[in-house]
Amino acid sequence: MKAIVITKYGAPEVLKLQDYPTPEISGDEVLIEVKAAGINRPDVFQREGNYPAPEGVVADIPGLEVAGTIVKCGPDVVDFTVGERVCALLAGGGYAEYVAVREGQCLPIPGDLSFAEAASLPETVFTVWSNVFQRGKLKAGEAFLIHGGNSGIGITGIQIAHALGSQVIVTVGSDEKGQNCLELGADSYINYKTQNFETELQNEGVDVILDMIGGDYLAKNINILKPEGRLVHINAVSGSRVDLDIWKVMTKRLTVTGSTLRSREYEFKKQLAKEIQKNVWPLIESKKFKPVIFKTFPFSEAAEAHRLLEDGSHTGKIILVR
Ligand SMILES: NC(=O)c1ccc[n+]([C@@H]2O[C@H](COP(=O)([O-])OP(=O)(O)OC[C@H]3O[C@@H](n4cnc5c(N)ncnc54)[C@H](OP(=O)(O)O)[C@@H]3O)[C@@H](O)[C@H]2O)c1
């Protein structure tokens, strides 16, 4: 098969279209003929050598999510058959013509979505559901702050939280990006380049924060959380070593938590997929949540697609299609 290979760690041009052995399947795995693969920030970290694939996962083909058609099923597969259109969460290997994945990480493509739209969903939807709704326990009527509202994670978080009845506030790097977030269902935005989110939110406070920034955002996040508030980390791009005022955590009875999805065990991902099918897929079918595609590229232009992601001017997902 053909695949996009990280030929060495470095800039986007290290991504090259090459011949690669087609994966073998066994047990409860399915073989998907990939029609579209989503691009995520962690793919860039992996290409640069800062986010290695977990053990047992193909190390030199990036790609955490795909959509396509099942062309082969292992002997223990019970929920899917050959010919079904699916999207799947992967721990790597998605920028390829074929990928093998255990059936519990696959979901039927919801509604009338295209392969490109379906490929944009798994990584962000799994991350948002597990961190915001399972760990953060966000409920209808609560105020929810998303840092990086315009990110792939942000646009998914805005739409699901809005559809389920929360008040959504986002931080963004420009008013144009803020406007995009309002159109997706955010109630308000804070431009982090011209405003201080702590000052803006210190009176009203928020119940749940999804943070990928860390660093000096931690103290500000702690200050604006309401009593019983929850702070959930999915990255710490400004630094993971921080000063935490434990007294504030105690007096406001706060929860500080976080997680990384990629390295989680199969059973966790399988259960999460079931919850998503039950809670999020109906929002897509009723058009309350729509995938947002910024641009598609042929697989052979994966390097160009990475350049666009790194440039940071996009709103919505960047997808490789064949
Ligand atoms: N833990 C997990 O399991 C998990 C899973 C998936 C992703 N992630 C993490 O989630 C993050 C988002 O991923 P993605 O693929 O959605 O990325 P992305 O689309 O590239 O977005 C990165 C975002 O960071 C925002 N940002 C940068 N500096 C900021 C600041 N000082 N304040 C507020 N926002 C700021 C940018 O906002 P502007 O463009 O508006 O400037 C941009 O929206 C990444 O850090 C990724 O590693 C974690």
Side-chain angles (χ1 to χ4, degrees):
M1 68 169 183
K2 294 282 185 203
I4 296 292
V5 177
I6 302 172
T7 50
K8 59 181 180 178
Y9 294 135
E13 49 273 20
V14 304
L15 298 174
K16 302 245 193 280
L17 188 67
Q18 294 190 345
D19 288 318
Y20 207 93
T22 303
E24 301 285 336
I25 58 162
S26 61
D28 61 4
E29 288 179 325
V30 298
L31 187 69
I32 299 174
E33 184 184 353
V34 176
K35 307 281 193 194
I39 295 187
N40 293 281
R41 179 70 49 176
D43 304 348
V44 172
F45 299 148
Q46 180 174 356
R47 192 203 71 217
E48 292 169 336
N50 299 321
Y51 192 50
E55 224 180 285
V57 175
V58 56
D60 52 355
I61 305 177
L64 302 173
E65 56 187 357
V66 293
T69 308
I70 295 181
V71 290
K72 232 187 236 182
C73 290
D76 304 330
V77 170
V78 289
D79 288 332
F80 292 96
T81 51
V82 169
E84 273 190 77
R85 298 168 82 242
V86 293
C87 55
L89 178 77
L90 311 170
Y95 295 10
E97 225 176 326
Y98 294 95
V99 71
V101 58
R102 293 179 76 180
E103 64 168 341
Q105 290 175 215
C106 298
L107 284 160
I109 292 182
D112 54 2
L113 297 193
S114 66
F115 284 118
E117 288 171 320
S120 76
L121 295 172
E123 176 68 10
T124 61
V125 174
F126 278 64
T127 300
V128 165
W129 192 262
S130 68
N131 287 287
V132 177
F133 294 93
Q134 293 184 333
R135 308 196 78 77
K137 299 184 173 57
L138 181 67
K139 293 188 279 297
E142 288 191 321
F144 173 40
L145 171 65
I146 309 176
H147 288 301
N150 197 64
S151 64
I153 296 285
I155 58 174
T156 298
I158 291 169
Q159 293 193 76
I160 300 177
H162 171 71
L164 296 179
S166 297
Q167 181 206 344
V168 185
I169 306 145
V170 296
T171 57
V172 288
S174 73
D175 292 326
E176 192 192 340
K177 289 176 178 177
Q179 211 51 46
N180 293 334
C181 293
L182 296 184
E183 278 162 28
L184 290 172
D187 294 273
S188 58
Y189 72 85
I190 297 164
N191 182 337
Y192 69 81
K193 293 193 175 150
T194 57
Q195 293 168 285
N196 181 333
F197 75 88
E198 184 185 15
T199 316
E200 297 299 323
L201 294 171
Q202 65 190 356
N203 292 332
E204 53 187 301
V206 294
D207 298 284
V208 176
I209 303 174
L210 183 65
D211 185 52
M212 54 188 79
I213 308 301
D216 67 350
Y217 272 32
L218 180 94
K220 299 178 184 180
N221 286 334
I222 294 286
N223 286 341
I224 60 166
L225 276 172
K226 294 181 187 176
E228 307 286 351
R230 289 86 72 195
L231 169 59
V232 190
H233 285 106
I234 55 167
N235 203 345
V237 293
S238 286
S240 58
R241 298 257 170 201
V242 287
D243 262 345
L244 172 64
D245 185 342
I246 293 171
W247 192 250
K248 288 184 182 164
V249 175
M250 290 160 60
T251 52
K252 290 203 278 183
R253 301 173 303 284
L254 305 179
T255 301
V256 179
T257 180
S259 72
T260 59
L261 176 65
R262 194 185 194 188
S263 56
R264 292 301 300 273
E265 67 284 7
Y266 172 65
E267 283 307 321
F268 170 81
K269 291 176 181 169
K270 185 177 167 183
Q271 284 311 316
L272 188 52
K274 288 201 170 111
E275 268 205 39
I276 285 166
Q277 191 167 358
K278 187 169 149 225
N279 294 292
V280 182
W281 262 210
L283 302 178
I284 296 173
E285 277 147 13
S286 61
K287 315 255 185 233
K288 288 182 179 152
F289 168 21
K290 292 192 205 114
V292 183
I293 308 290
F294 182 71
K295 193 162 179 187
T296 60
F297 288 86
F299 273 68
S300 55
E301 292 175 21
E304 203 45 52
H306 270 221
R307 272 184 211 108
L308 180 63
L309 183 85
E310 287 179 75
D311 163 54
S313 58
H314 59 289
T315 294
K317 298 277 303 227
I318 300 166
I319 307 288
L320 300 177
V321 290
R322 71 170 77 256

